[in-house]
Amino acid sequence: MSDHAVLHVKGRVLVGPEDVRDELWVVDGRVCYDRPAGARDVRTVEGWALPGLVDAHCHVGLDRHGAVPRDVAERQALTDRDAGTLLIRDAGSPSDTRWVDDREDLPKIIRAGRHIARTRRYIRNYAWEIEPDDLVAYVAQEARRGDGWVKLVGDWIDRDLGDLSACWPRGAVEAAIAEAHRLGARVTAHCFAESSLRDLVEAGIDCIEHATGLTDDLVPLFAERGVAIVPTLVNIATFPQLADGGEDKFPRWSAHMRRLHARRYDTVRGAYDAGIPVFVGTDAGGGLAHGLAAAEVAELVTAGIPPVEALAAGTWKARAWLGRPGLDEGAPADLVVYDEDPRVDVRVLAAPRRVVLNGRVVGGA
């Protein structure tokens, strides 16, 4: 037995949506389902326990202007942590956040390197801005720098066209995705519009961010290939405001953004009904605040996804998809405790009672 304090979590432990246990123990920061012999200093936490929430599209170290200082990135990570988000897939950042890995009090981050965009076709100071001939080389670079993911910008506004359009020719994305897979990395892409989706999916992409352009004719292709989507509905809610800001200069783009927004819930529900994997992501860190994973789960429910499935999209299923454990025996004790059953009402997620990270109580009311 270690001399470290033992944490006893009792009440209802949601190891899975149907695997509910009465208690777990935390010994040396790890989950244990047998009472440890000789435990002396025991702290008890009671309630409904879940694996730490997952934000599968988040940007630590980034704001609307680009990379931020370390103290700002730390505040971003702490905001996510205190809201119960303990696992983040950082979907593109120019900041080096490896220092977070040395902090046991901050969420775990799975990085996708820096965004890779077409020249002058993305937000300034965010991405490597390159041309198609360089795409394979930059994908290889970010695959080596990341944690098993690479992030492309699949479409953006074309100022000459006055609307969203695909950024990359088919051959370039085929070669780039093949190179990422050769190096053991999965590839995801920012996509608002319809135009880039077929080429990306047929080229072998693993995930699409936002996916507002997903249409009925593309749904079977996504489902057949097992391509996941991360809808970021809390971010898509800003489309009308964005459209208003661009109305005078780009009326075609503005009208397109409003159409994508208007059908957003139907798009997500149609994807879910077809068997396309859907996961929770907020797009925090650009122009959006951190700590919104609970709000995104609620948005998935509003879209028509059953509450338990929406919950799974930000907990059990998301962790399995990202290759990270939940409340498994011997896993790091990253969990959140609530006063009520979040399977009944996902709005409970917005008010964690206790947040436990690496076996230590680090937050909560």
Side-chain angles (χ1 to χ4, degrees):
M1 252 319 286
S2 165
D3 290 332
H4 294 168
V6 170
L7 186 66
H8 183 202
V9 180
K10 60 184 296 187
R12 308 301 282 163
V13 178
L14 300 174
V15 182
E18 303 299 330
D19 184 359
V20 183
R21 309 189 193 184
D22 294 332
E23 61 184 354
L24 69 74
W25 301 83
V26 178
V27 181
D28 292 335
R30 295 189 174 268
V31 172
C32 176
Y33 287 99
D34 294 320
R35 181 185 179 93
R40 296 186 296 276
D41 183 9
V42 178
R43 177 177 181 181
T44 300
V45 173
E46 298 188 53
W48 295 81
L50 271 178
L53 303 183
V54 178
D55 189 339
H57 186 131
C58 185
H59 305 281
V60 173
L62 182 70
D63 69 8
R64 65 177 66 249
H65 303 295
V68 299
R70 181 177 291 197
D71 64 319
V72 177
E74 179 185 40
R75 288 197 297 272
Q76 293 173 340
L78 287 170
T79 298
D80 286 316
R81 183 201 74 182
D82 291 346
T85 296
L86 304 183
L87 179 62
I88 289 168
R89 184 184 60 149
D90 195 325
S93 176
S95 293
D96 180 359
T97 59
R98 290 288 174 189
W99 57 270
V100 172
D101 296 346
D102 298 325
R103 291 276 299 271
E104 290 200 350
D105 61 329
L106 296 179
K108 297 172 173 69
I109 299 180
I110 298 169
R111 298 166 186 83
R114 187 173 184 176
H115 307 75
I116 303 172
R118 192 77 179 263
T119 308
R120 299 189 64 197
R121 292 285 300 278
Y122 200 48
I123 304 166
R124 185 178 300 175
N125 300 324
Y126 275 35
W128 298 119
E129 297 190 18
I130 63 168
E131 289 302 294
D133 287 348
D134 294 321
L135 184 59
V136 170
Y138 274 82
V139 163
Q141 169 185 289
E142 297 310 296
R144 294 186 175 101
R145 292 177 58 188
D147 298 314
W149 284 90
V150 175
K151 170 76 173 294
L152 306 180
V153 176
D155 66 38
W156 197 250
I157 188 169
D158 181 326
R159 289 167 177 79
D160 294 331
L161 183 65
D163 199 0
L164 298 166
S165 70
C167 291
W168 311 102
R170 170 71 172 260
V173 294
E174 286 178 341
I177 292 170
E179 178 66 1
H181 288 169
R182 186 185 71 82
L183 294 170
R186 289 185 277 182
V187 183
T188 193
H190 159 106
C191 296
F192 284 161
E194 303 85 349
S195 56
S196 64
L197 294 178
R198 182 172 295 277
D199 280 353
L200 288 167
V201 174
E202 291 182 345
I205 204 160
D206 302 282
C207 181
I208 296 292
E209 310 300 312
H210 317 301
T212 42
L214 184 59
T215 51
D216 290 345
D217 61 312
L218 291 171
V219 164
L221 178 64
F222 272 67
E224 175 190 343
R225 301 292 181 95
V227 177
I229 66 169
V230 182
T232 68
L233 288 168
V234 291
N235 178 47
I236 304 311
T238 67
F239 275 19
Q241 179 183 356
L242 296 175
D244 289 347
E247 182 80 56
D248 292 341
K249 193 170 183 180
F250 300 112
R252 183 177 171 187
W253 172 84
S254 294
H256 195 175
M257 294 290 278
R258 290 192 181 97
R259 291 195 303 273
L260 295 172
H261 175 265
R263 73 176 201 233
R264 67 197 186 283
Y265 292 143
D266 290 339
T267 300
V268 172
R269 179 56 193 254
Y272 169 79
D273 286 345
I276 294 171
V278 179
F279 297 105
V280 167
T282 66
D283 207 2
L288 209 64
H290 284 258
L292 297 177
E296 181 67 14
V297 175
E299 277 286 272
L300 294 181
V301 174
T302 301
I305 294 180
V308 172
E309 289 298 312
L311 184 60
T315 55
W316 312 291
K317 287 186 177 180
R319 285 177 170 272
W321 178 59
L322 293 173
R324 296 297 190 272
L327 298 180
D328 307 320
E329 180 79 28
D334 297 343
L335 58 97
V336 192
V337 180
Y338 301 94
D339 286 327
E340 300 176 55
D341 187 350
R343 298 173 301 174
V344 175
D345 185 351
V346 299
R347 291 175 297 180
V348 169
L349 299 177
R353 181 175 183 179
R354 293 287 185 271
V355 178
V356 178
L357 180 60
N358 293 310
R360 295 175 52 235
V361 177
V362 293

Short mmCIF file of all heavy atoms in Angstrom, two decimals, residues 7-8 11 27 31 36 58 90 106 131 191 194 204 225-226 251 274 282 297 308 314-315 329 339:
data_model
loop_
_atom_site.label_atom_id
_atom_site.label_comp_id
_atom_site.label_asym_id
_atom_site.label_seq_id
_atom_site.Cartn_x
_atom_site.Cartn_y
_atom_site.Cartn_z
N LEU A 7 -8.90 7.59 -2.61
CA LEU A 7 -10.19 8.21 -2.88
C LEU A 7 -11.23 7.11 -3.09
O LEU A 7 -10.99 6.14 -3.81
CB LEU A 7 -10.09 9.08 -4.14
CG LEU A 7 -11.33 9.92 -4.49
CD1 LEU A 7 -11.57 10.98 -3.42
CD2 LEU A 7 -11.15 10.58 -5.86
N HIS A 8 -12.36 7.28 -2.43
CA HIS A 8 -13.46 6.32 -2.54
C HIS A 8 -14.64 7.04 -3.21
O HIS A 8 -15.19 7.99 -2.65
CB HIS A 8 -13.86 5.83 -1.15
CG HIS A 8 -14.94 4.79 -1.16
ND1 HIS A 8 -15.75 4.55 -0.06
CD2 HIS A 8 -15.34 3.92 -2.11
CE1 HIS A 8 -16.59 3.57 -0.34
NE2 HIS A 8 -16.37 3.18 -1.59
N GLY A 11 -21.74 5.64 -4.95
CA GLY A 11 -23.02 6.11 -5.45
C GLY A 11 -23.38 5.30 -6.67
O GLY A 11 -23.77 4.13 -6.56
N VAL A 27 -6.36 4.45 -6.17
CA VAL A 27 -5.13 4.14 -5.45
C VAL A 27 -3.95 4.55 -6.33
O VAL A 27 -3.84 4.10 -7.47
CB VAL A 27 -5.04 2.64 -5.10
CG1 VAL A 27 -3.77 2.36 -4.32
CG2 VAL A 27 -6.27 2.20 -4.31
N VAL A 31 -7.64 3.78 -11.16
CA VAL A 31 -8.93 3.17 -10.83
C VAL A 31 -8.75 1.76 -10.32
O VAL A 31 -7.99 0.97 -10.89
CB VAL A 31 -9.85 3.17 -12.07
CG1 VAL A 31 -11.14 2.38 -11.81
CG2 VAL A 31 -10.17 4.59 -12.52
N PRO A 36 -8.87 -1.39 -1.35
CA PRO A 36 -7.45 -1.63 -1.08
C PRO A 36 -7.22 -2.03 0.37
O PRO A 36 -7.78 -1.43 1.30
CB PRO A 36 -6.80 -0.28 -1.40
CG PRO A 36 -7.89 0.73 -1.23
CD PRO A 36 -9.16 0.04 -1.63
N CYS A 58 -10.91 21.16 -30.01
CA CYS A 58 -10.59 22.23 -29.06
C CYS A 58 -9.20 22.75 -29.42
O CYS A 58 -8.39 22.02 -29.99
CB CYS A 58 -10.63 21.67 -27.64
SG CYS A 58 -10.42 22.87 -26.31
N ASP A 90 -6.79 18.39 -29.61
CA ASP A 90 -6.50 19.74 -30.05
C ASP A 90 -6.43 19.73 -31.58
O ASP A 90 -5.44 19.28 -32.16
CB ASP A 90 -5.18 20.22 -29.45
CG ASP A 90 -5.01 21.73 -29.59
OD1 ASP A 90 -5.45 22.26 -30.62
OD2 ASP A 90 -4.45 22.36 -28.68
N LEU A 106 -3.66 19.39 -15.33
CA LEU A 106 -4.27 19.89 -16.57
C LEU A 106 -4.77 18.73 -17.42
O LEU A 106 -4.25 17.62 -17.35
CB LEU A 106 -3.26 20.72 -17.36
CG LEU A 106 -2.78 22.01 -16.70
CD1 LEU A 106 -1.77 22.72 -17.59
CD2 LEU A 106 -3.95 22.94 -16.37
N GLU A 131 0.85 25.54 -50.94
CA GLU A 131 0.21 25.15 -52.19
C GLU A 131 0.20 23.62 -52.32
O GLU A 131 0.93 22.93 -51.59
CB GLU A 131 0.92 25.79 -53.37
CG GLU A 131 0.68 27.30 -53.47
CD GLU A 131 -0.81 27.62 -53.59
OE1 GLU A 131 -1.41 27.25 -54.62
OE2 GLU A 131 -1.36 28.20 -52.64
N CYS A 191 -14.37 21.43 -42.67
CA CYS A 191 -15.23 21.52 -43.86
C CYS A 191 -16.57 22.12 -43.46
O CYS A 191 -17.32 21.51 -42.71
CB CYS A 191 -15.46 20.15 -44.50
SG CYS A 191 -13.98 19.36 -45.16
N GLU A 194 -20.23 21.82 -48.99
CA GLU A 194 -20.46 20.52 -49.61
C GLU A 194 -19.32 20.10 -50.53
O GLU A 194 -19.07 18.90 -50.70
CB GLU A 194 -21.77 20.57 -50.43
CG GLU A 194 -23.01 20.97 -49.64
CD GLU A 194 -23.22 22.49 -49.53
OE1 GLU A 194 -22.29 23.26 -49.88
OE2 GLU A 194 -24.30 22.88 -49.05
N GLY A 204 -9.86 8.76 -48.39
CA GLY A 204 -9.53 7.98 -47.20
C GLY A 204 -9.46 8.76 -45.90
O GLY A 204 -8.91 8.25 -44.91
N ARG A 225 -17.74 4.22 -45.29
CA ARG A 225 -16.31 4.36 -45.01
C ARG A 225 -16.02 4.53 -43.52
O ARG A 225 -14.85 4.54 -43.12
CB ARG A 225 -15.74 5.56 -45.77
CG ARG A 225 -15.89 5.49 -47.29
CD ARG A 225 -15.04 4.40 -47.91
NE ARG A 225 -15.17 4.36 -49.36
CZ ARG A 225 -14.35 4.99 -50.23
NH1 ARG A 225 -13.33 5.70 -49.76
NH2 ARG A 225 -14.55 4.90 -51.52
N GLY A 226 -17.05 4.70 -42.69
CA GLY A 226 -16.83 4.88 -41.25
C GLY A 226 -16.20 6.21 -40.90
O GLY A 226 -15.49 6.32 -39.88
N PRO A 251 -22.10 38.51 -50.46
CA PRO A 251 -23.50 38.11 -50.25
C PRO A 251 -23.77 36.64 -50.55
O PRO A 251 -24.59 36.01 -49.88
CB PRO A 251 -24.27 39.03 -51.19
CG PRO A 251 -23.27 39.49 -52.21
CD PRO A 251 -21.97 39.56 -51.49
N ALA A 274 -27.98 7.39 -39.87
CA ALA A 274 -27.34 6.55 -40.88
C ALA A 274 -26.19 5.73 -40.33
O ALA A 274 -25.59 4.93 -41.05
CB ALA A 274 -26.84 7.42 -42.04
N THR A 282 -16.18 21.38 -29.52
CA THR A 282 -16.73 22.73 -29.37
C THR A 282 -16.10 23.77 -30.30
O THR A 282 -16.72 24.80 -30.56
CB THR A 282 -16.54 23.22 -27.93
OG1 THR A 282 -15.14 23.36 -27.66
CG2 THR A 282 -17.17 22.24 -26.94
N VAL A 297 -22.97 18.69 -25.81
CA VAL A 297 -23.78 17.48 -25.60
C VAL A 297 -25.26 17.85 -25.66
O VAL A 297 -26.06 17.15 -26.32
CB VAL A 297 -23.43 16.80 -24.26
CG1 VAL A 297 -24.37 15.63 -24.01
CG2 VAL A 297 -21.98 16.32 -24.25
N VAL A 308 -28.60 9.39 -24.09
CA VAL A 308 -27.51 8.49 -23.71
C VAL A 308 -26.46 8.44 -24.82
O VAL A 308 -25.25 8.38 -24.55
CB VAL A 308 -28.03 7.08 -23.38
CG1 VAL A 308 -26.88 6.11 -23.19
CG2 VAL A 308 -28.87 7.12 -22.11
N GLY A 314 -19.50 12.16 -25.92
CA GLY A 314 -18.54 12.99 -25.20
C GLY A 314 -17.88 12.28 -24.05
O GLY A 314 -17.19 12.93 -23.25
N THR A 315 -18.08 10.95 -23.96
CA THR A 315 -17.46 10.19 -22.87
C THR A 315 -16.95 8.85 -23.38
O THR A 315 -15.89 8.77 -23.98
CB THR A 315 -18.44 10.00 -21.69
OG1 THR A 315 -19.67 9.40 -22.17
CG2 THR A 315 -18.77 11.32 -21.02
N GLU A 329 -10.29 -0.69 -14.99
CA GLU A 329 -9.38 -1.10 -13.93
C GLU A 329 -7.95 -0.75 -14.31
O GLU A 329 -7.46 -1.07 -15.38
CB GLU A 329 -9.48 -2.61 -13.72
CG GLU A 329 -8.57 -3.17 -12.64
CD GLU A 329 -9.09 -2.95 -11.23
OE1 GLU A 329 -10.32 -2.86 -11.05
OE2 GLU A 329 -8.24 -2.86 -10.32
N ASP A 339 -24.44 15.43 -9.23
CA ASP A 339 -25.47 15.20 -8.22
C ASP A 339 -26.60 14.30 -8.72
O ASP A 339 -27.30 13.68 -7.93
CB ASP A 339 -26.07 16.53 -7.76
CG ASP A 339 -25.13 17.30 -6.85
OD1 ASP A 339 -24.38 16.66 -6.09
OD2 ASP A 339 -25.13 18.54 -6.91
#
